[in-house]
Amino acid sequence: MTVDDAPGTEEGPRAWSVLVNDEEQYGLFPADRKPPGGWRSTGFTGTEQECSGYVDEQWTDMRPLSLRSGGTQG
């Protein structure tokens, strides 16, 4: 999940927050905005590159939580 907005301001690059949902899927969202419904902040904020690196380290299994924890499998 990303938002296509201006890449930054005259002061520098935009700050991003890493969000996670109930299925433990991660996304990036502008740090100056309230997370959308169903998403919550992980507490990590940085540049887009820093946040992407954090997501790469944390989100090692792309399957939704419901599949990883024995939910319906297809």
Side-chain angles (χ1 to χ4, degrees), residues 5 8-9 22-23 38-39 44 47 51 55 57 60 73:
D5 270 346
T9 65
D22 290 340
E23 288 285 346
W39 293 84
F44 189 92
T47 65
C51 289
V55 170
E57 291 173 5
T60 58
Q73 296 183 2

Side-chain angles (χ1 to χ4, degrees), residues 1-2 16-21 24-29 39-62 68:
M1 173 177 99
T2 61
W16 294 87
S17 290
V18 177
L19 305 181
V20 64
N21 65 20
E24 294 185 1
Q25 297 167 312
Y26 287 78
L28 306 185
F29 205 71
W39 293 84
R40 64 188 180 281
S41 176
T42 63
F44 189 92
T45 302
T47 65
E48 186 172 8
Q49 184 175 1
E50 291 167 339
C51 289
S52 291
Y54 176 83
V55 170
D56 288 344
E57 291 173 5
Q58 301 299 313
W59 195 11
T60 58
D61 188 338
M62 298 293 143
R68 287 182 279 139

